[in-house]
Amino acid sequence: MENWYEVMYNTRLDKLVLRKPKLRGKIIRKVRKHKLISLIIFITILFSIINITMIINFFEILQKI
């Protein structure tokens, strides 16, 4: 079991229970597991931002003419 560190003792139930994984932890585990897909998504977002910035700058240059 890979989630052994997420076990805690619940005093109300008087037994061991698994903690609910947090959203941030889930995302970090997915990124570590699927590095190639995460890299592709990151590069796509980065290039989209660069593209939008270049388009805005181009229109600003055209307005000055």
Side-chain angles (χ1 to χ4, degrees):
M1 178 182 249
E2 67 181 48
N3 297 335
W4 63 271
Y5 55 88
E6 294 180 1
V7 174
M8 66 178 199
Y9 184 75
N10 190 336
T11 55
R12 290 186 203 160
L13 299 175
D14 195 29
K15 66 179 182 178
L16 293 174
V17 292
L18 289 174
R19 287 186 190 162
K20 293 181 180 177
K22 296 180 181 177
L23 180 63
R24 182 178 177 207
K26 285 181 182 179
I27 292 171
I28 290 173
R29 271 189 238 125
K30 295 280 185 186
V31 167
R32 286 183 182 161
K33 188 174 182 182
H34 305 285
K35 291 181 182 177
L36 181 62
I37 295 172
S38 301
L39 181 66
I40 291 170
I41 291 171
F42 175 75
I43 289 173
T44 304
I45 292 171
L46 180 69
F47 285 150
S48 297
I49 292 170
I50 292 171
N51 189 24
I52 291 169
T53 306
M54 290 175 68
I55 291 170
I56 291 171
N57 287 336
F58 177 73
F59 280 122
E60 288 178 3
I61 290 171
L62 280 180
Q63 287 177 354
K64 290 180 183 178
I65 295 178

